[in-house]
Amino acid sequence: MEPRLVGPGPYRATRLWNEIIEVFRAGMPLRKHRCRFKSYERCFKASEAVDRLHELLASNQNFGPEVTRNQTVKLLKKFLKNHVIEDIKGRWGKEDFQDDSHLYRFPPSSPLKPYPKKSSCAKEVIEFPDWNEPKAGTSQEHIPVKTVTMNSEMWYKRHSIAIGEVPACKLVFRRDLTQTNIEEIWKSMTLSRLQKVLGLDSLDEVLDTKLVNSKHIVQNAYNVNRQGIVTLEDKSKELPHWILSAMKCLANWPSCSDLKQPSYSGFERDVFKTIVDYFGQRKEPLLTFHFYDVFVSVLGLLQKHSKAVEALQISCLLLPPENRKRLQLLVRMMARISFNKDLPPLSESVRTRTLMVQAFSRCILCSKDEMDLDELLAAKLVSFLMDNYQEILSVPSALKSSIEEHVLHLQRVQIKYAGTDTDATFPPPSFCHQISTDEFEHQRATGSQEPLAALLEEIAMNKEISMKDKKKQLKQFQKSYPEVYRVRFPTPETEAVLFPEKNKQKPPILMWALKKPFQPFHRTRSFRM
């Protein structure tokens, strides 16, 4: 059974768990073994199981060659606890699996992890405030329309082509957006972008959007210092000073200004152990249990580097600000330690980078469920975070710009036309009030004067076109918009200023031109008789 790449989507962790069990059962060699003068059929040694499962995980696209033997042993312990395997006496659940020669076997059927049942409750629909809601006591017919912001060029195109076919419209003045309105816009557009990057039809199966705090998103996007680290409003949620000092000491080794370094050997290992112990005491990982499925889904995109980075950028934006700040500081320290050649080894048997992943992956990402591959998944995610932390833990600039532009779009005066489709980019429909034909004609006459006058002035002052083309364009404009043209050029004299006549002077007649042209001298020959 060939392992396949499990992409992002609902229940990715469950699918991976079940697939590894099936691959392991299908690929584990079963033989006859003797133990204490007794033979046992179709079983395997613990060390053989570690060898085989480690080989399967290392060759699996979902995990890769970074999987260690120690991680494989931890997974087999979960298998024994959840009755995926049992010892030769049929015991499981409380037995501790070790990498030794003890004998194990598969039960008649290894239990697969069931898929969660879909909730019967309705999906949450994030509703935007009705910006054009009429005041109480008024009753007007609403027509769903598409918002159109006009400039001089668009006015020219629309009115020069079909001035008589413009539908009824009016200027709509947007109401001031409250902070709550802006926060809901951030939440809606952020989740919409995340869903698009993950390629999902809905986020319902990987995220309960009701638990996403819009205030956290806005705070993570704007309350940052020069280094891009989140600044907390509640100072009581900051990291303790002694932990910050310890982290800075290792991150900036050997130059450390915050902490006087003792001279004894192994000081750096004691500092590292202090940091590991502090973060290991957390009851919930930094990425939180609630966002576990989202980050596991993102792991399915790691082969598409740019998409994985963007998805992680957006996902980390959803975190509580104190979690995001701790994550930023921790991952930055881990990356600096991994690349710091001046720092003495923190372990005799494990490389520094591997040690960082093993020590902190569980405090960054883990699952509530015991039947999960969270340690392997967390290790893969943390490795990717360390390699791309500067980009991933920064505010996604493209998303921020698009949201800010949309907020400005909602706040400016706009012209709305009836009968057009609703803009599909933003969920909430827009409305304008139906007006009479006479009122529309008045608005069209007065509202179009300024952009048309600007267009006429642009034609008149354009020095890059020839006089012939300028006259042609002005004549066409005068024919289409005589009233606007008459305001700019009330008399023929004002128009003539644009086309000054050139005085054609005749060249002077030279006197020598009146004389006969010079004739060469012809010498005659005379003959004397």
Side-chain angles (χ1 to χ4, degrees), residues 1-6 19-20 23 56-57 59-62:
M1 184 177 180
E2 291 294 330
R4 57 186 176 83
L5 179 64
V6 179
E19 180 179 282
I20 289 299
V23 171
L56 291 173
L57 293 173
S59 62
N60 192 307
Q61 301 179 68
N62 299 289

Side-chain angles (χ1 to χ4, degrees), residues 451-467:
L452 290 175
L455 177 63
L456 177 59
E457 190 68 17
E458 182 179 352
I459 297 174
M461 296 294 104
N462 192 349
K463 297 181 181 181
E464 298 181 359
I465 60 176
S466 63
M467 289 296 178

Side-chain angles (χ1 to χ4, degrees), residues 159-160 475-483:
H159 290 77
S160 63
K475 186 175 181 181
Q476 181 181 0
F477 191 98
Q478 183 182 21
K479 184 178 179 180
S480 302
Y481 309 102
E483 296 179 1

Side-chain angles (χ1 to χ4, degrees), residues 227-272:
Q227 290 76 34
I229 305 297
V230 177
T231 57
L232 302 182
E233 297 177 353
D234 187 356
K235 300 304 179 182
S236 65
K237 296 181 179 179
E238 296 278 3
L239 280 172
H241 178 71
W242 58 274
I243 280 293
L244 281 175
S245 298
M247 295 173 70
K248 289 180 181 178
C249 177
L250 292 184
N252 301 319
W253 188 280
S255 58
C256 179
S257 59
D258 285 0
L259 192 65
K260 294 182 179 180
Q261 302 177 20
S263 58
Y264 71 87
S265 177
F267 165 72
E268 65 282 350
R269 296 189 182 185
D270 290 343
V271 175
F272 179 69

Side-chain angles (χ1 to χ4, degrees), residues 143-190:
I143 304 174
V145 298
K146 179 179 180 180
T147 303
V148 180
T149 304
M150 303 294 287
N151 53 30
S152 59
E153 183 180 359
M154 293 177 66
W155 269 103
Y156 176 74
K157 288 182 179 180
R158 179 182 290 274
H159 290 77
S160 63
I161 295 175
I163 191 65
E165 300 179 3
V166 180
C169 68
K170 69 173 294 183
L171 293 176
V172 177
F173 292 85
R174 294 285 191 179
R175 294 183 179 181
D176 293 336
L177 299 181
T178 65
Q179 182 62 25
T180 302
N181 296 150
I182 295 175
E183 289 170 356
E184 288 303 312
I185 292 172
W186 265 91
K187 176 179 177 179
S188 177
M189 294 187 67
T190 301

Side-chain angles (χ1 to χ4, degrees), residues 41-151:
E41 299 288 344
R42 298 182 58 80
C43 59
F44 50 86
K45 291 182 180 180
S47 57
E48 295 173 345
V50 176
D51 292 338
R52 182 55 180 164
L53 184 57
H54 184 235
E55 179 185 348
L56 291 173
L57 293 173
S59 62
N60 192 307
Q61 301 179 68
N62 299 289
F63 305 102
E66 298 86 4
V67 177
T68 64
R69 190 174 182 88
N70 184 49
Q71 291 173 332
T72 307
V73 172
K74 290 182 179 180
L75 179 56
L76 283 166
K77 288 183 179 182
K78 286 189 175 184
F79 282 179
L80 181 60
K81 188 172 183 178
N82 292 281
H83 204 195
V84 176
I85 60 176
E86 63 185 17
D87 69 7
I88 53 175
K89 295 183 179 180
R91 294 174 298 189
W92 60 277
K94 295 182 180 180
E95 300 301 319
D96 190 16
F97 184 93
Q98 300 293 336
D99 189 358
D100 53 25
S101 60
H102 278 73
L103 297 180
Y104 293 89
R105 67 189 181 192
F106 290 115
S109 61
S110 296
L112 298 180
K113 187 176 179 181
Y115 291 95
K117 294 182 179 180
K118 293 184 178 180
S119 175
S120 58
C121 60
K123 297 180 180 179
E124 184 206 14
V125 178
I126 302 175
E127 297 181 355
F128 282 84
D130 188 357
W131 315 122
N132 297 318
E133 183 179 356
K135 297 181 179 179
T138 61
S139 58
Q140 295 177 326
E141 183 178 356
H142 293 78
I143 304 174
V145 298
K146 179 179 180 180
T147 303
V148 180
T149 304
M150 303 294 287
N151 53 30

